[in-house]
Amino acid sequence: MAKIVTMTSGKGGVGKTTSSAAFGTGLALRGFKTCIIDFDVGLRNLDLIMGCERRVVFDFVNVINGEAKLSQALIKDKRVENLYILPTSQTRDKDALSKEGVEKILDELKKEFDYIVCDSPAGIEKGAQMALYFADEAIIVTNPEVSSVRDSDRILGVIQAKSRRAEQGLEPVKEHLLLTRYDLERVEKGEMLKVDDVLEILAIPLLGIIPESPAVLKASNVGMPVVLDDKSAAGQAYADAVARFLGEKVEHRFMKPEKKGFFDRLLRRSA
Amino acid sequence: MSSQVATRDAPFQLRGANFTMMVLKVGDPRNPNFFPVLAGKIAQAPNFFRNAPVVLDLDDIPAGVPFDFENFCGLLHNLGLIAVGLQGGTKELQDAALAAGLAALPAAKGRAEGFDPLAGTGRSPAQGVHNMQPQSAPEPAAASPAAPPAVAAEPLPYQRSTLIVTEPVRSGRQVYAAGGDLVVVAPVSPGAELLADGSIHVYGTLRGRALAGVSGDRSARIFCQSLEAELVSIAGLYRVSEDMDKSIRRRQVQIFLDNGFLHIDPVAA
């Protein structure tokens, strides 16, 4: 049974698209046939992060409008088997999405894929609601700062009120917290919220902590999901998150500063 | 209710529709050079004129000049033009034309009907997007909305069909030149989309998408000063940037169809 996983946050710039790309790629690396859909109509970015922007011909909105077949719009990843990307339109806006249109495409995708990862736009309006409406599970991407946590709290409320599962009284959407851009040093200094602080407010299970890492920006700019960079801490953290999502018991890393030797201190930030 | 049912079952439907047509302004039909000169004009773009409907504008015909419509329309037909109606002229001319099977059309409103290049995109035409002005027609009187219709009715000497964009075309913006060419004198950002029924010219770097001949004109071409496009297409045949040869990237190129294949060739600077 295919599962629809929505990556959402309320707040912008916290790493939804980076996480969608890394998480979706992580699932595909585990052998699951995965499709990542960009719901951010008008602000298309997933194709850049996935490095397939030079192959986009048709998009999500074309398929909704019946201008192209789903198979024409899906882009197969060249690096990872079983991984597909459905890019969105850059020239349209969120009004191009309709519940019926989105449902039809998701139903079609469900027949073929194990996991459908929906990369939600920021906000709590139509675009974000479309991305979360059909979700079976939701991953809330949060940064360790108060505004991000507040917005995550808000989007959790939206999921609990406006998703299809809520409206139809089905089993509620399963929620996960993904804490990104976690900078241990700044947490130690008290400049950032601690994991426990965030968990206390949001009260949902922790899927993973992604440490702040220069590898993330580098990966974005070269169009490679950071999970493919298995030497970087961020890449490993995403791989761990995928494992936990699949039910494996993996201890959380990157929560405590590692004991650093003299040379590590000199060479730190090279992660 | 019953009348609606009757309408639905009717073997026809009556609807209003707008068409853009050429107007042939007739100065002096007796001039012996009339048809030779017209034939020369048509020879310059035979495809454009082939079986094209035209409306005769009779306003400039001096009073009292006889006009044999049947003969005139027959000669036009020989050139591939189909006279469908007339506008203006004296009562006598109009009656004669009606007898020859031409429909009298109301005087044209304003100049040749402008089109909104952004119609359907939910955007208003932005600054920097305007239709090409005929060189001979002075801007002021004709463009002023307050001008009386008599002044505004100044006809164009030709069918205006080129859309000129002078501002950078940003990501997410869509510009469509309906029924003609699109000229962009600015860069086109990635994520922007240029569409034209005719050809597309970009005097700047083309980084977005360009789709020429979107209504099926296979002779349309795309020209740009630096090719970094995401996608180019002519009459539905497309190529994405990944499939473009590296040797033509960032080059001045023209893109055209030949034997059903899309060619991207450098243009000698």
Side-chain angles (χ1 to χ4, degrees):
Chain A
M1 183 63 192
K3 261 193 191 146
I4 300 175
V5 185
T6 297
M7 196 73 70
T8 189
S9 70
K11 193 175 181 300
V14 295
K16 285 180 295 300
T17 304
T18 302
S19 298
S20 298
F23 187 78
T25 305
L27 286 170
L29 284 171
R30 290 300 198 95
F32 295 101
K33 197 166 179 196
T34 306
C35 172
I36 315 176
I37 310 180
D38 191 347
F39 270 78
D40 205 348
V41 184
L43 292 168
R44 186 175 91 197
N45 275 335
L46 179 68
D47 54 318
L48 286 171
I49 309 283
M50 292 298 297
C52 64
E53 75 279 5
R54 283 152 60 88
R55 291 195 283 149
V56 177
V57 180
F58 295 109
D59 58 52
F60 191 25
V61 175
N62 290 137
V63 182
I64 288 181
N65 293 344
E67 294 152 3
K69 283 193 289 236
L70 188 55
S71 56
Q72 291 176 297
L74 282 174
I75 300 176
K76 188 177 185 327
D77 191 88
K78 288 188 171 174
R79 299 156 296 213
V80 182
E81 190 76 9
N82 294 325
L83 180 60
Y84 290 79
I85 295 101
L86 183 55
T88 194
S89 164
Q90 178 76 345
T91 54
R92 307 291 296 274
D93 58 34
K94 310 289 191 275
D95 293 334
L97 299 176
S98 65
K99 252 182 206 170
E100 299 71 34
V102 172
E103 182 172 26
K104 202 171 139 255
I105 293 177
L106 289 177
D107 283 347
E108 210 173 316
L109 287 170
K110 272 182 172 176
K111 288 181 210 148
E112 257 189 77
F113 288 90
D114 301 314
Y115 286 101
I116 301 158
V117 177
C118 303
D119 179 25
S120 168
I124 54 168
E125 291 82 14
K126 189 168 182 184
Q129 288 188 18
M130 285 294 163
L132 65 78
Y133 186 76
F134 297 99
D136 298 310
E137 309 207 15
I139 299 176
I140 315 300
V141 184
T142 308
N143 289 167
E145 49 149 323
V146 284
S147 59
S148 176
V149 172
R150 178 189 282 182
D151 291 358
S152 294
D153 196 36
R154 179 80 174 89
I155 200 79
L156 282 164
V158 175
I159 292 169
Q160 285 154 14
K162 296 200 169 164
S163 62
R164 180 174 62 172
R165 283 177 172 269
E167 279 185 7
Q168 298 181 356
L170 305 170
E171 196 184 321
V173 176
K174 200 170 165 191
E175 297 148 345
H176 308 268
L177 176 67
L178 190 64
L179 201 55
T180 56
R181 311 198 67 166
Y182 197 72
D183 189 332
L184 267 175
E185 285 184 26
R186 300 189 67 187
V187 171
E188 299 268 296
K189 282 190 212 156
E191 293 172 1
M192 266 190 181
L193 294 177
K194 288 205 232 8
V195 180
D196 294 342
D197 300 339
V198 180
L199 284 173
E200 193 192 318
I201 300 168
L202 296 179
I204 55 172
L206 181 64
L207 186 65
I209 301 164
I210 313 298
E212 174 80 55
S213 160
V216 173
L217 184 67
K218 192 182 109 197
S220 293
N221 282 333
V222 299
M224 184 188 82
V226 71
V227 73
L228 292 177
D229 181 359
D230 52 14
K231 289 192 183 63
S232 73
Q236 293 167 16
Y238 275 114
D240 286 1
V242 170
R244 281 183 211 107
F245 184 84
L246 296 172
E248 296 169 25
K249 293 256 178 295
V250 183
E251 198 144 332
H252 284 288
R253 295 193 263 177
F254 317 109
M255 281 174 81
K256 291 190 181 67
E258 287 158 51
K259 290 263 180 331
K260 279 180 180 157
F262 174 71
F263 284 105
D264 283 335
R265 277 176 203 279
L266 273 182
L267 299 170
R268 78 187 159 154
R269 295 202 180 277
S270 61
Chain B
M1 205 53 197
S2 59
S3 69
Q4 276 181 1
V5 172
T7 308
R8 208 177 295 137
D9 293 340
F12 58 82
Q13 279 188 317
L14 270 177
R15 290 181 308 163
N18 289 314
F19 299 96
T20 303
M21 274 187 284
M22 264 187 299
V23 173
L24 178 64
K25 202 165 178 63
V26 183
D28 186 351
R30 297 167 302 177
N31 187 326
N33 286 330
F34 189 98
F35 282 99
V37 171
L38 185 60
K41 192 92 190 159
I42 287 169
Q44 291 171 13
N47 284 328
F48 179 74
F49 289 105
R50 187 166 297 141
N51 297 331
V54 288
V55 173
L56 307 179
D57 184 328
L58 308 179
D59 267 341
D60 284 0
I61 300 183
V65 172
F67 199 135
D68 181 349
F69 280 101
E70 264 166 69
N71 181 35
F72 189 84
C73 293
L75 288 168
L76 281 183
H77 201 261
N78 290 342
L79 294 176
L81 298 177
I82 302 168
V84 295
L86 75 149
Q87 65 176 29
T90 61
K91 182 83 174 66
E92 291 77 44
L93 280 173
Q94 289 186 358
D95 288 344
L98 208 57
L102 295 177
L105 303 174
K109 293 188 291 288
R111 299 187 297 175
E113 290 291 316
F115 57 85
D116 181 354
L118 302 174
T121 65
R123 295 161 182 278
S124 55
Q127 276 187 338
V129 178
H130 44 77
N131 287 354
M132 192 161 109
Q133 302 299 336
Q135 285 153 353
S136 59
E139 173 87 359
S144 162
V151 179
E154 187 181 334
L156 279 175
Y158 60 90
Q159 176 73 34
R160 175 184 55 196
S161 57
T162 302
L163 177 68
I164 295 191
V165 177
T166 55
E167 303 263 296
V169 185
R170 306 277 177 209
S171 186
R173 178 128 175 255
Q174 200 175 40
V175 181
Y176 174 38
D181 291 358
L182 175 60
V183 177
V184 181
V185 197
V188 180
S189 300
E193 193 165 80
L194 305 179
L195 302 144
D197 286 332
S199 296
I200 295 174
H201 309 250
V202 181
Y203 297 94
T205 302
L206 173 59
R207 296 193 176 91
R209 302 171 149 228
L211 296 91
V214 289
S215 302
D217 182 355
R218 300 171 69 88
S219 66
R221 295 188 176 206
I222 299 170
F223 306 85
C224 66
Q225 278 189 328
S226 178
L227 179 74
E228 294 176 38
E230 297 168 326
L231 176 147
V232 292
S233 157
I234 290 179
L237 267 87
Y238 64 82
R239 190 168 303 165
V240 293
S241 89
E242 191 173 77
D243 299 333
M244 292 178 199
D245 201 290
K246 277 205 175 67
S247 66
I248 42 114
R249 274 189 77 75
R250 298 183 190 199
R251 294 279 301 273
Q252 186 170 348
V253 298
Q254 65 166 324
I255 300 157
F256 57 97
L257 284 187
D258 186 28
N259 281 327
F261 286 98
L262 192 73
H263 289 258
I264 306 183
D265 285 359
V267 179

